[in-house]
Amino acid sequence: DSLLVNNVLCPVLDDYVAAAQATQEFQDHMANVTQPLVSRLKQFGIDSVDASNLWMTMDCFYTHVCHEHSVPAWLDDIIPEVLEEVNWQMNFQYNYPSAREYGRASQGLLVADMFAEIEAAVKGNAAYKLLLYGGHDTGPIQPLLAAFGVYDGIWCGYATHIEIELYRTSAFKSNHGVRFLYNGRVLTLPECESSFCDYAVFSEVARSLIPTEEQCKSRRPPSDLAAGLPVINVASPWE
């Protein structure tokens, strides 16, 4: 469980973020939209805000609003703008260089853990009937939805949940079907013919999101790596 996607186990994620932020589209947006918004916030006395930590300001705003705490009147107009801006930045990131590639780097190891349990259940070796994973909007909820091709681009709310359900069925040759739900709404993955997906198809989608050790390697010099989450001592997932 981490607030943002974990770039420690799959460092190529930093490559993607740096490359996305270096695009002309991103730079133009920063100059024409983000920086003017940051300047307005500073005029209101929020001196610590900048383009890189605007999401923290949004979190602060919305924890007040969602819990019905009073906020200054000037925030009424600017809070939606801050959310729209942070949402734009995140969506741009989730889709660079593609939703599948970013998703593989940011969510692939979580998918690997989940898929191993699903596959064990298909083979009749499941240790549990229900597994529960906890996380955040920025990771895993939104990037996981984007990786599977079903994110609508709208920032998720409090208590958002994703369910992946496995069924035995004679409807498919695999004898199993999968449903993918978001806040109780059944979604249809792009590769599936309907919302009730053949396990054989779902398994191919899931496998495509699981990175190899080589795919996770950063292609940039160590001195050029972007600062991400604090590096902690973790075991290699490939050992």
Side-chain angles (χ1 to χ4, degrees):
D1 174 27
S2 59
L3 185 59
L4 298 174
V5 292
N6 193 334
N7 58 345
V8 175
L9 293 177
C10 200
V12 74
L13 183 62
D14 275 338
D15 295 23
Y16 294 159
V17 173
Q21 293 178 355
T23 62
Q24 192 61 52
E25 181 180 359
F26 191 90
Q27 291 297 316
D28 288 346
H29 184 90
M30 289 294 106
N32 298 323
V33 179
T34 313
Q35 292 300 342
L37 179 59
V38 167
S39 296
R40 287 170 59 201
L41 289 168
K42 287 182 179 291
Q43 289 175 0
F44 286 116
I46 308 178
D47 297 328
S48 60
V49 68
D50 60 37
S52 67
N53 66 17
L54 197 57
W55 63 273
M56 296 182 186
T57 303
M58 185 204 76
D59 259 4
C60 182
F61 287 169
Y62 270 91
T63 51
H64 280 70
V65 171
C66 292
H67 290 282
E68 299 182 348
H69 294 305
S70 61
V71 296
W74 60 266
L75 280 176
D76 290 342
D77 292 330
I78 206 167
I79 284 179
E81 291 184 50
V82 173
L83 174 59
E84 182 179 355
E85 169 55 23
V86 174
N87 198 33
W88 185 92
Q89 290 187 31
M90 290 296 183
N91 282 328
F92 192 87
Q93 188 169 290
Y94 297 156
N95 289 283
Y96 192 93
S98 70
R100 181 61 51 86
E101 290 172 284
Y102 181 88
R104 184 186 299 123
S106 69
Q107 302 302 308
L109 297 176
L110 172 62
V111 172
D113 285 348
M114 295 189 298
F115 182 66
E117 299 292 344
I118 295 172
E119 196 166 43
V122 169
K123 295 177 179 179
N125 301 321
Y128 307 97
K129 288 189 174 181
L130 172 69
L131 288 105
L132 180 65
Y133 298 81
H136 298 267
D137 44 10
T138 46
I141 294 291
Q142 292 170 178
L144 186 64
L145 290 169
F148 276 99
V150 289
Y151 184 43
D152 59 11
I154 300 173
W155 200 278
C156 65
Y158 276 6
T160 284
H161 46 94
I162 295 171
E163 292 84 38
I164 301 176
E165 301 175 342
L166 177 68
Y167 294 85
R168 291 191 187 94
T169 178
S170 59
F172 306 116
K173 289 182 179 180
S174 65
N175 294 319
H176 290 84
V178 174
R179 293 204 314 166
F180 193 105
L181 296 87
Y182 176 48
N183 288 334
R185 179 165 55 94
V186 184
L187 304 180
T188 301
L189 303 184
E191 295 84 357
C192 301
E193 293 183 359
S194 71
S195 59
F196 191 47
C197 187
D198 184 348
Y199 174 75
V201 176
F202 175 82
S203 65
E204 287 302 311
V205 175
R207 286 190 178 95
S208 75
L209 288 170
I210 299 173
T212 64
E213 183 174 11
E214 184 63 29
Q215 287 173 325
C216 271
K217 287 182 179 177
S218 173
R219 303 299 189 266
R220 293 186 297 148
S223 61
D224 191 38
L225 291 179
L229 296 175
V231 176
I232 55 177
N233 292 321
V234 292
S236 168
W238 293 280
E239 292 178 351

